[in-house]
Amino acid sequence: MERSELQELFEGVARGEVAPAEATARVASGELEGFVDLGFAKPDLQRGVRQGVSEVIYGAGKSAEQICAIVDALLDGGEERILVTRVDEAKAYALEAHLAEGDHAGLPFEYHPDARLALLGGLPPVTGNGYVAICCAGTSDLYCAEEAALTARMMGSRVVRLYDVGVAGIHRLLAHVEEIQNATAIVAIAGMEGALASVVGGLAACPVIACPTSVGYGASFGGVAALLAMLNSCASGVSVVNIDNGFGAGYQAALIDHPR
């Protein structure tokens, strides 16, 4: 969980360094309102305190300049690590150049083009109870699988990748039964007919988050066929996120791996 000014204030009260009356006055003054108003966006500086995970930036539809301004606000507000999703190479490299020239020069920066993710501040230590298994049906689905895997890892989960284990060659999946049965949470990613989620759900004792992808021929309807198949799974314990939402699947799996 990232630190915030509010958390630091409360810790100061607990240590006896800040009087309760002073803390009350600072909160009442609006000094610690919890967000920064940039006009086009209001970055949330207290999300990590409320939810355990700081704000994630959705890069699609935002300009490079807007992303840079939001990143600056979060870093200035005390965030140590930031995840930017659905960001293309041009925006990612603009962000990297911006960070290198500004007040946050030297901050670790990684861009993963397959997943379209930018990771700022480096990966956190592993803090989960076990591990998240990412089961990916085919190589064509890796863009979504890597988004899920990197999201879960950025949230402190250990990640085990089981790739190209689709039902067209089910022996490839059955070679990983032990990893499936010992996982804390599983993300099952598939396009085409989306059958992988049901098969994994029948092998696993943990929650399975099914993520349909838009991979497939015409009658797959851009992932709708896989989505409907996953929603109609006969396996117990399978829940479903939206088409191509690797981020949401990885996030949910990491929450399961970190019970409060």
Side-chain angles (χ1 to χ4, degrees):
M1 180 172 68
E2 306 291 359
R3 296 174 62 81
S4 70
E5 289 183 292
L6 185 62
Q7 182 180 357
E8 291 178 353
L9 178 62
F10 289 160
E11 289 176 351
V13 173
R15 292 192 299 267
E17 299 170 357
V18 179
E22 178 186 349
T24 301
R26 290 181 63 184
V27 172
S29 70
E31 173 189 347
L32 305 174
E33 59 185 355
F35 64 89
V36 178
D37 192 345
L38 301 178
F40 60 87
K42 293 181 175 65
D44 187 347
L45 304 181
Q46 294 180 358
R47 190 168 303 181
V49 175
R50 297 194 314 274
Q51 297 185 335
V53 181
S54 57
E55 182 169 3
V56 175
I57 301 172
Y58 179 69
K62 294 181 176 69
S63 68
E65 291 75 16
Q66 289 172 330
I67 294 172
C68 289
I70 295 170
V71 165
D72 284 343
L74 292 175
L75 291 174
D76 291 342
E79 303 295 354
E80 298 174 357
R81 298 179 182 86
I82 299 174
L83 175 62
V84 187
T85 69
R86 298 301 170 93
V87 59
D88 60 36
E89 291 191 13
K91 293 177 185 177
Y93 294 143
L95 175 58
E96 183 178 23
H98 171 78
L99 291 171
E101 298 171 354
D103 296 335
H104 306 290
L107 184 76
F109 179 93
E110 298 178 22
Y111 178 60
H112 297 263
D114 291 342
R116 293 178 293 171
L117 286 179
L119 310 179
L120 286 68
L123 293 173
V126 172
T127 54
N129 282 359
Y131 63 84
V132 171
I134 309 293
C135 297
C136 179
T139 305
S140 296
D141 304 306
L142 285 181
Y143 67 94
C144 191
E146 277 300 292
E147 184 179 50
L150 290 167
T151 297
R153 181 63 191 88
M154 192 67 168
M155 291 175 61
S157 288
R158 182 164 73 92
V159 173
V160 173
R161 292 168 169 85
L162 307 177
Y163 287 176
D164 198 20
V165 291
V167 299
I170 201 167
H171 56 295
R172 301 173 302 181
L173 177 66
L174 297 179
H176 297 285
V177 168
E178 184 175 354
E179 292 101 314
I180 291 169
Q181 293 182 336
N182 290 327
T184 307
I186 297 173
V187 177
I189 297 173
M192 299 292 187
E193 81 295 328
L196 179 65
S198 289
V199 177
V200 170
L203 295 172
C206 66
V208 175
I209 300 100
C211 180
T213 72
S214 52
V215 171
Y217 291 103
S220 68
F221 299 110
V224 173
L227 172 64
L228 293 175
M230 291 172 171
L231 286 171
N232 286 282
S233 173
C234 62
S236 304
V238 174
S239 59
V240 187
V241 297
N242 208 344
I243 299 168
D244 288 335
N245 189 10
F247 164 76
Y251 192 105
Q252 182 72 8
L255 289 178
I256 295 169
D257 187 40
H258 290 78
R260 301 185 69 176

